[in-house]
């Protein structure tokens, strides 16, 4: 069936067809954007932010060879690891499919892939043109050169990029002058990463190259790598420093691939003194990007330029990234940023309130920090609410005022978390049966999730050890105590476990 034959179809179908004047890349990204908007209204904010928001836009193609307008669509979402894939599949896939089906006006099947191919100009069978990938649609600004008016601004801030034909394509390239070591509050959670970053800023290209920083959302990875860029530029204003998000690199590769201008790409990236690249997990499945990044990586290391990367997981946890890259990612120094501890959260609130010219008393900072634990971005959101509330009500900042300003957030937090919910969530997460939470089975694959659930039950509910033991199949309170101590102790040393617990906590508090 030809495109023209479908021009009489309804609006959604017309757009699915990529009819004249409507760009299908825009259509796919628009579909995903609208789907996300809908999900954001349906899911608790924390769940949306944890699971859906970080995903790159879906790729959408017609299903099957010779697919026509009546056939289903396949929306492929790329997820960075097995862990997230399984979770999203269980918790959200059905709802995402239903929403996309409704918005697209055609049955839309969801696929969760650990890999996706880059657009290589190969026509995909069916009515839609070649698969529209996240790379092509996620950063529309990247496809356009900056306007003449913008260019000098970009260059004066990011100063190092001087190749006129490859001037930074969007503001994402800019080093943000606000994100410095001075404005980054230190704490146990970022101690290692901050120390390593300071070291690199002082002597780039010498040790810890590459520096690989990983951790969950909103914990300060971007802030930290900007700090290194700012520090180096302060010392050496002529240094060639580039910050960019991994998607921007993907986009540059696609653009240069289409224009066959790989020399320009090389000139741009291989000439840097410091490359700061955020969220490298987005390279998953993008072979051509990985190849170019590998080339840039080797060229930069060979001339002792420094590379700092961030990711949501450690190098070996990256999926669908060539092992020759992941092993190189790990060859310098790999450090984690953890969720901030209470004292650090308090210090962040006090410092940021001070910077806003509205000092926050310590007791109020403690109150807010105790109630907002997920990450620094959420902490900032809570702070903004409290400060705005104080300003507009012309009242002093107090605990009463903070409670009032944050009442929506607090009512969500105060929702009772039940032991049953913990058992179900943990069982889903580790793919065991809920019944195994009460069973006497002892293999490690079951016993460990059970201990984790006991630990979370103690941490997140008011239940006593004997009560928890009872709810876990009549176990003795000493068994629960052992689990609580064991998991709590391991959490301090085992970053991967700590991250898993953090995800579980966020989901349960959702
Ligand atoms: N230790 C800190 N001190 C002060 N501000 C911080 C700190 N950590 C994070 N922030 C602030 O929290 C916000 C989120 O941080 P950032 O964007 O760096 O997180 P991220 O780890 O890169 O998250 P994502 O993976 O979602 O991009 C930023 O405004 C940042 O300035």
């Amino acid at each position: 069936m030809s495109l023209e034959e479908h021009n009489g179809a309804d609006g959604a179908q017309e757009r699915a067809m990529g009819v004249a004047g409507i760009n299908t890349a825009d259509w796919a990204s628009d579909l995903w954007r609208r789907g996300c908007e809908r999900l954001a209204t349906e899911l608790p904010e924390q769940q949306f932010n944890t699971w859906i928001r970080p995903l790159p836009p879906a790729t959408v193609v017609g299903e099957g060879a010779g697919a026509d307008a009546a056939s289903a669509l396949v929306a492929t979402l790329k997820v960075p690891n097995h862990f997230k894939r399984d979770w999203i599949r269980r918790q959200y896939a059905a709802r995402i499919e239903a929403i996309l089906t409704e918005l697209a006006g055609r049955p839309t099947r969801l696929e969760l892939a650990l890999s996706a191919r880059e657009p290589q100009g190969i026509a995909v069978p069916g009515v839609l043109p070649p698969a529209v990938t996240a790379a092509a649609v996620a950063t529309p600004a990247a496809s356009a050169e900056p306007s003449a008016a913008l260019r000098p601004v970009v260059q004066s801030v990011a100063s190092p990029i001087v190749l006129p034909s490859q001037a930074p394509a969007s503001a994402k390239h800019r080093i943000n002058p606000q994100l410095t070591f001075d404005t980054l509050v230190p704490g146990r959670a970022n101690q290692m990463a901050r120390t390593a970053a300071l070291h690199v800023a002082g002597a780039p290209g010498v040790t810890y190259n590459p520096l690989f920083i990983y951790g969950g959302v909103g914990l300060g990875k971007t802030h930290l790598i900007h700090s290194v860029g700012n520090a180096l530029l302060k010392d050496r204003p002529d240094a060639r420093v580039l910050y960019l998000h991994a998607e921007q690199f993907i986009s540059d590769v696609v653009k240069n691939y289409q224009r066959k201008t790989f020399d320009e790409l090389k000139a741009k990236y291989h000439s840097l003194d410091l490359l700061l690249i955020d969220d490298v997990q987005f390279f998953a499945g993008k072979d051509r990007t990985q190849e170019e990044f590998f080339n840039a990586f080797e060229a930069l290391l060979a001339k002792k330029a420094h590379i700092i990367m961030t990711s949501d997981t450690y190098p070996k946890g990256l999926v669908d990234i060539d092992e020759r890259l992941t092993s190189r990612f790990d060859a310098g120094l790999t450090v984690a940023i953890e969720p901030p501890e209470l004292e650090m959260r308090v210090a962040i609130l006090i410092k940021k309130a001070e910077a806003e010219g509205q000092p926050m008393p310590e007791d109020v900072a403690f109150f807010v920090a105790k109630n907002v634990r997920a990450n620094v971005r959420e902490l900032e959101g809570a702070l903004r609410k409290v400060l705005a509330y104080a300003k507009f009500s012309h009242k002093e900042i107090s605990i009463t005022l903070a409670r009032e300003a944050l009442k929506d957030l607090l009512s969500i937090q105060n929702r009772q978390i039940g032991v049953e919910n913990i058992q179900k969530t943990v069982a889903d997460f580790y793919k065991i049966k809920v019944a195994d939470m009460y069973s006497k089975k002892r293999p490690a694959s079951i016993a460990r999730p059970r201990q984790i659930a006991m630990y979370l039950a103690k941490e997140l509910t008011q239940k006593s050890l004997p009560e928890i033991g009872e709810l876990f199949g009549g176990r003795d309170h000493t068994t629960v105590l052992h689990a609580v101590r064991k998991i709590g102790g391991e959490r301090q040393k085992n970053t991967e476990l700590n991250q898993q617990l953090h995800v579980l906590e966020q989901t349960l508090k959702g």
Side-chain angles (χ1 to χ4, degrees):
M1 205 175 286
S2 73
L3 293 183
E4 289 73 8
E5 283 174 80
H6 275 277
N7 283 351
D10 68 43
Q13 276 204 344
E14 273 187 3
R15 284 186 290 177
M17 303 300 298
V19 291
I22 297 179
N23 179 327
T24 50
D26 288 348
W27 177 80
S29 102
D30 188 52
L31 177 66
W32 179 242
R33 184 186 54 73
R34 289 185 297 140
C36 282
E37 275 171 14
R38 177 80 68 84
L39 277 168
T41 63
E42 293 185 5
L43 295 176
E45 191 181 345
Q46 228 165 28
Q47 279 188 29
F48 180 79
N49 288 342
T50 305
W51 298 104
I52 308 296
R53 202 167 64 124
L55 298 173
T59 300
V60 185
V61 296
E63 183 160 54
D68 61 23
S71 70
L73 297 174
V74 182
T76 305
L77 266 181
K78 280 160 290 168
V79 282
N81 51 47
H82 295 270
F83 203 49
K84 288 191 179 165
R85 184 192 60 189
D86 294 346
W87 187 260
I88 292 170
R89 182 178 287 148
R90 278 170 203 271
Q91 305 291 328
Y92 309 116
R95 190 61 202 133
I96 294 175
E97 274 186 349
I99 291 175
L100 293 182
T101 295
E102 186 192 323
L103 293 174
R106 298 169 61 169
T108 303
R109 192 164 57 76
L110 184 69
E111 278 197 356
L112 294 169
L114 293 170
S115 67
R117 313 233 70 83
E118 279 173 83
Q120 303 282 334
I122 303 162
V124 172
V127 291
L128 289 168
V132 181
T133 71
V137 299
T139 51
S143 60
E145 288 298 328
S147 70
L150 177 63
R151 219 171 275 155
V153 177
V154 171
Q155 288 188 359
S156 71
V157 179
S159 58
I161 304 304
V162 289
L163 303 171
S165 60
Q166 284 288 337
S170 82
K172 288 191 167 192
H173 283 252
R174 291 161 61 158
I175 304 275
N176 181 339
Q178 310 293 328
L179 303 179
T180 63
F181 284 114
D182 288 343
T183 54
L184 184 88
V185 174
R188 205 177 55 211
N190 66 7
Q191 191 179 17
M192 275 277 285
R194 183 174 161 276
T195 306
L198 276 166
H199 187 95
V200 170
V206 182
T207 42
Y208 307 151
N209 199 10
L211 177 60
F212 191 98
I213 300 165
Y214 70 96
V217 295
L219 297 184
K221 302 184 295 295
T222 303
H223 190 136
L224 189 59
I225 64 175
H226 276 267
S227 304
V228 179
N230 277 311
L232 181 61
L233 285 171
K234 198 167 161 211
D235 271 6
R236 287 172 38 197
D238 60 334
R240 298 163 77 92
V241 180
L242 177 63
Y243 163 82
L244 81 170
H245 190 270
E247 280 183 299
Q248 186 68 53
F249 186 83
I250 299 167
S251 181
D252 268 3
V253 171
V254 172
K255 198 168 66 183
N256 284 279
Y257 185 87
Q258 285 162 348
R259 294 187 194 154
K260 303 203 176 3
T261 49
F262 275 109
D263 286 348
E264 283 182 25
L265 188 82
K266 286 195 171 65
K268 174 176 173 179
Y269 287 100
H270 296 201
S271 64
L272 299 169
D273 296 312
L274 174 63
L275 173 60
L276 308 166
I277 184 154
D278 231 346
D279 290 329
V280 293
Q281 72 274 12
F282 281 86
F283 288 162
K286 298 194 159 42
D287 299 344
R288 184 72 214 212
T289 297
Q290 289 180 27
E291 196 180 318
E292 287 308 320
F293 191 68
F294 179 81
N295 293 337
F297 194 94
E298 293 285 277
L300 289 173
L301 285 197
K303 68 175 200 114
K304 296 208 181 318
H306 216 106
I307 302 168
I308 309 184
M309 291 169 278
T310 75
S311 165
D312 65 352
T313 183
Y314 47 94
K316 295 229 161 30
L318 288 166
V319 175
D320 279 321
I321 296 193
D322 197 324
E323 214 215 306
R324 71 182 177 151
L325 264 183
T326 53
S327 61
R328 277 170 175 76
F329 289 175
D330 228 355
L333 179 70
T334 297
V335 280
I337 296 195
E338 312 269 348
E341 67 279 7
L342 178 67
E343 293 76 8
M344 185 172 168
R345 298 199 298 276
V346 170
I348 290 173
L349 286 168
I350 289 178
K351 180 152 188 159
K352 288 191 188 274
E354 187 77 47
E356 295 296 320
Q358 287 179 272
M360 177 177 268
E362 205 173 289
D363 61 336
V364 183
F366 264 98
F367 171 78
V368 176
K370 275 188 183 150
N371 284 291
V372 184
R373 290 181 283 182
N375 61 50
V376 185
R377 193 172 287 124
E378 290 196 7
L379 204 58
E380 286 180 335
L383 175 70
R384 268 196 299 277
K385 277 190 188 155
V386 174
L387 297 187
Y389 203 87
K391 204 173 203 165
F392 296 125
S393 62
H394 302 288
K395 287 187 186 153
E396 297 269 300
I397 298 177
S398 63
I399 293 184
T400 312
L401 178 130
R403 189 175 276 122
E404 184 60 24
L406 302 177
K407 65 172 183 285
D408 293 350
L409 192 141
L410 297 179
S411 73
I412 294 172
Q413 298 239 327
N414 289 341
R415 248 187 359 221
Q416 287 283 320
I417 299 175
V419 174
E420 275 176 21
N421 192 13
I422 293 173
Q423 290 170 328
K424 181 173 179 331
T425 306
V426 175
D428 279 353
F429 199 76
Y430 291 104
K431 289 191 275 181
I432 63 169
K433 296 198 196 79
V434 180
D436 286 332
M437 289 288 166
Y438 334 111
S439 73
K440 302 286 172 218
K441 287 188 197 162
R442 284 166 177 243
S445 59
I446 291 172
R448 186 158 173 91
R450 195 192 287 135
Q451 287 182 327
I452 287 174
M454 288 180 189
Y455 166 83
L456 289 171
K458 184 72 196 116
E459 195 205 13
L460 299 176
T461 74
Q462 302 298 320
K463 297 254 185 287
S464 65
L465 295 174
E467 282 171 327
I468 295 172
E470 194 53 42
L471 291 163
F472 278 81
R475 288 181 156 78
D476 193 75
H477 77 277
T478 53
T479 309
V480 182
L481 182 62
H482 172 72
V484 171
R485 287 197 175 141
K486 181 163 184 273
I487 300 299
E490 275 184 37
R491 175 176 204 173
Q492 305 296 323
K493 295 174 246 144
N494 180 339
T495 310
E496 196 184 343
L497 173 67
N498 188 36
Q499 281 201 327
Q500 291 177 2
L501 288 169
H502 187 58
V503 167
L504 284 164
E505 285 158 353
Q506 279 194 333
T507 307
L508 285 161
K509 287 178 199 154

